[in-house]
Every structure is written in C-alpha cells, then in structure tokens.
Amino acid sequence: MTMNRRKFVKKVGVGAVAVGAAGLALKPKRARAAKAKTYNWKMVTTWPPHFPVLGESADFIAKWVEEMSDGQLKISVYGGGELVPPLGVFDAVSSGTVEMGHGASYYWAGKHAATQFFAAVPFGLNAQGMNAWVMAGGGQELWDELYARFNLKGFSAGNTGVQMGGWFNKKINSIDDLKGLKMRIPGLGGKVLAKAGGNAILVAGGEIYTNLDRGVIDATEWVGPYHDYKMGFYKAAKYYYSPGWHEPGTTLECMVNKQKYDALPKNLQAIIETACARSTIWALSTFEALNEQYLQKLVNEHHVQVLTFPDDVLAKLKVLTNEVLTEMAAKDPFTKKVYDAYMAFKKNHDAWNVISEERYAKLKHL
Ligand code: CA
C-alpha cells in the first residue's frame, strides 16, 4: 500500500493526496468493522444496584469498556440478587454462568484465605501501597496465580482509601471495652476483634442499619464519611471512631472468567484492564474528594462525635493482628507465600513512606 501510495502521490501531485489519503483511511476501518466479533457480556456484583461509588464503579467499567471498544464489548451490570445472590458472584464467574463480577476479594476468604491479601489486611498497606503492590510490585502475578485455580482473572477496580474505625454507642477507652461487643466487622478485622474478646457478626450491607438501630449489634464498621452518611448510621450511633485499622486501603475487584478472558482478542483484554485501572483511580479519587465534606455534615448537621481509638488499644489490636495473620499463613503454603511477599513489600514501602509521605504529612502545620 505504501508503494502504491508513493506512486500515486508522484503521479497526481499534492492536491489530490488529501482525497486519496482519506479514501485509503476509510477502507481498512470498514473492513475491520465488518470482521470484528461483538460480545454481549454480563457482570454480576456484590453491591445493591448503582450503589454509590462501589456499584457505580462497576457501572463505569461497563460504560468505559463499551466506549473504548466502540461497542465491540457490551457489558450488562447486575446488582447483588438480581441474577445471583451478592455472595454468589465468585461461583457464577468461576463457572462461566456469567463472564464478569465486581466486589472485593476478601468476600471469598471461604474459597481461599489468600484472597484477603488482595482486598485489605488490618494494619496493612494503604491505597497507595496496594496499588503499588498489585500494579508494580508483584501482587498481580500472585493474584493471577491464585485466581487461575478458580478459572478467574482478577483486577483492581477501586479503592476506598483508609476507612473509618466504625460507629459505636459507647466509648472505647481500653481494649477491655471491646470484650463482649457485638460488632459488624468482616474478614480479618473480625478475627482480630474475636481475639480481643468481641463478637464479630456478619450482617449484609442492607441490614446493618436496622440491626444497629434495634440493638442486635452494638457497633458497625462500614467505609468512610461519604458512604456511611448515605447509609444513615448517624441515626443509630453517636460515636464515629478513626482510624479504620482493619481496612487501611481496601481494594475493590473486577473479576473475569479466565477462559472467556483468554479467548478475547488482545484489544478487548487491554480495554478491560484499562477500564479497571481507571476505576481504581476513579473510586479512590471520589472518596478522597467527598469524605471531608461529608464528615463535616455528620459533625455539624447530625452532631456526631468523631473520636480516635487510643494508641494502646491500637497497639494491642496490632499484636492480635499479627497472631491472626501468622496463624492463617501457617495453615496453607500458598497463603504463606502471599503473606511473605505482602509483608516484604510492605516493609520496603513503609521505609520509603517514612522519608516521603509521612515526612511531607508533618509539614501541614507550616
Ligand atoms: Ca469496611
């Protein structure tokens, strides 16, 4: 084609080139459009339909994939319970009943304990650290190794940033105040609370408010000011504790059935990966942009008291966290492998943070 075009340019001169080039540009586009296979996929999620930020990030992935692929890959998004129950997402995607899923990987701790490292670890990596580990520090490779066992491919698809410690109706002044406390707190954080003598209770998102209001649970954690405001927890609890030691930077996930992902043309694989990466930044940025605004609303309009867990309580929770993690890692070689990699990465990341982010954070008063 290059030779023909050069000859053509020589023959008819510059004036005709624009028309000729435009004609040439159209031909391959038409040929590609006629040849390209189109895909109509389904994505099931663990969230209520269009749930702020979390469910919206699934909606956006579908929208961005359709836009970037010029309609070659269309994804219909379903809220939890619409096609499969919220916690049926993993099995539905793994088996190929649907092609994609959206949630957070610590929901699948019952499938494999190591899934939790790709969502949140108490006293673990923050959002920046999780992105660094997953996207550039070997985390994705371990995630791929784990999910391949289940015929899945997982991507980071959002991050909450540091969460809040939760909603309480009594003050937490010592570790003993956690004894007997019935708290909605999932995953590893729940195991730590249990070691501290509390009762970690599993409650689905939609039922937390009612349970807290009726005293079925004494306390709950959720996400952070923006999302917690939307959930209305301030109507059922007066103390809002910081920080979310149990979820310092929770990664949301988008999963794809691996067989179906591997069978996609490379351009669509890249488009899914790119949409998920955009979603990772979008969700974190949205929380970061809105949290303080909504914290002020909670304080000024709803008279919520914002408190901080005492240092000695946090220090004890960290000791208990280390026990939970080492006990978990001792039970299974692959979990140990991920645990070792995660902790080695965190050690380096923490060291760099001391002279970068943490040092900079101390300049705020200047
Ligand atoms: Ca949470």
Side-chain angles (χ1 to χ4, degrees):
M1 190 182 288
T2 315
M3 281 304 290
N4 288 346
R5 194 172 148 193
R6 253 186 232 141
K7 278 179 198 162
F8 180 73
V9 170
K10 267 188 188 169
K11 268 187 187 169
V12 298
V14 176
V17 170
V19 178
L24 285 172
L26 278 174
K27 273 184 196 164
K29 194 179 175 188
R30 274 200 212 107
R32 202 164 50 236
K35 222 175 80 180
K37 186 179 170 192
T38 57
Y39 299 80
N40 286 292
W41 278 15
K42 293 184 178 75
M43 186 199 291
V44 291
T45 73
T46 58
W47 323 111
H50 319 298
F51 207 36
V53 190
L54 311 172
E56 285 172 323
S57 117
D59 294 339
F60 273 130
I61 288 170
K63 178 177 181 282
W64 294 330
V65 165
E66 187 169 338
E67 284 172 359
M68 282 191 279
S69 71
D70 199 16
Q72 199 187 346
L73 174 52
K74 288 185 180 165
I75 302 164
S76 305
V77 180
Y78 296 88
E82 289 187 327
L83 268 192
V84 301
L87 297 182
V89 165
F90 188 97
D91 286 339
V93 182
S94 175
S95 65
T97 305
V98 294
E99 293 84 1
M100 295 178 80
H102 193 284
S105 65
Y106 55 17
Y107 292 143
W108 323 124
K111 302 289 181 187
H112 199 294
T115 58
Q116 298 169 101
F117 288 100
F118 306 102
V121 173
F123 296 98
L125 293 164
N126 64 5
Q128 207 159 319
M130 277 303 290
N131 288 343
W133 182 56
V134 171
M135 294 181 175
Q140 183 71 58
E141 290 74 7
L142 289 166
W143 198 350
D144 288 348
E145 195 180 336
L146 174 63
Y147 269 32
R149 297 180 181 196
F150 302 97
N151 190 31
L152 292 169
K153 164 86 180 160
F155 293 102
S156 167
N159 200 297
T160 63
V162 182
Q163 298 197 1
M164 283 291 282
W167 296 87
F168 299 78
N169 275 312
K170 70 167 190 178
K171 289 191 179 175
I172 306 300
N173 295 319
S174 81
I175 195 87
D176 289 341
D177 289 325
L178 296 176
K179 288 209 169 96
L181 188 82
K182 289 177 287 178
M183 181 171 180
R184 185 270 177 193
I185 173 169
L188 292 166
K191 290 205 167 69
V192 175
L193 179 74
K195 266 193 186 277
N199 296 318
I201 294 173
L202 280 176
V203 181
E207 291 159 22
I208 302 172
Y209 174 79
T210 312
N211 283 352
L212 187 61
D213 196 45
R214 291 181 184 167
V216 178
I217 52 174
D218 305 315
T220 186
E221 68 78 57
W222 185 239
V223 180
Y226 173 58
H227 221 279
D228 292 18
Y229 178 92
K230 298 253 170 197
M231 297 288 277
F233 296 139
Y234 57 86
K235 288 179 252 174
K238 54 186 169 183
Y239 302 127
Y240 194 22
Y241 268 89
S242 136
W245 56 274
H246 62 302
E247 295 197 63
T250 303
T251 296
L252 310 179
E253 75 170 352
C254 177
M255 56 164 76
V256 191
N257 177 281
K258 190 174 182 304
Q259 225 172 341
K260 299 201 172 163
Y261 181 78
D262 289 344
L264 281 180
K266 293 280 178 223
N267 71 310
L268 294 183
Q269 289 181 351
I271 282 170
I272 289 174
E273 188 174 357
T274 304
C276 290
R278 182 175 173 186
S279 176
T280 296
I281 299 301
W282 176 80
L284 177 63
S285 305
T286 302
F287 282 125
E288 288 289 303
L290 294 174
N291 273 339
E292 180 58 23
Q293 188 183 324
Y294 279 82
L295 187 65
Q296 291 305 317
K297 282 164 90 80
L298 289 169
V299 171
N300 298 327
E301 294 170 22
H302 303 290
H303 313 294
V304 167
Q305 286 189 50
V306 179
L307 301 170
T308 303
F309 292 122
D311 280 353
D312 66 322
V313 170
L314 291 168
K316 281 174 184 150
L317 289 171
K318 189 167 183 184
V319 169
L320 297 176
T321 293
N322 289 337
E323 286 178 25
V324 166
L325 293 176
T326 49
E327 284 166 16
M328 184 176 85
K331 284 183 192 158
D332 164 70
F334 187 78
T335 305
K336 175 81 165 61
K337 180 176 163 178
V338 180
Y339 168 74
D340 287 344
Y342 181 98
M343 295 312 276
F345 185 88
K346 184 177 180 297
K347 195 179 168 195
N348 265 339
H349 189 257
D350 285 352
W352 168 237
N353 255 260
V354 170
I355 62 163
S356 58
E357 300 288 341
E358 284 175 30
R359 181 71 190 92
Y360 180 71
K362 284 176 188 155
L363 305 181
K364 274 199 284 288
H365 66 285
L366 297 179

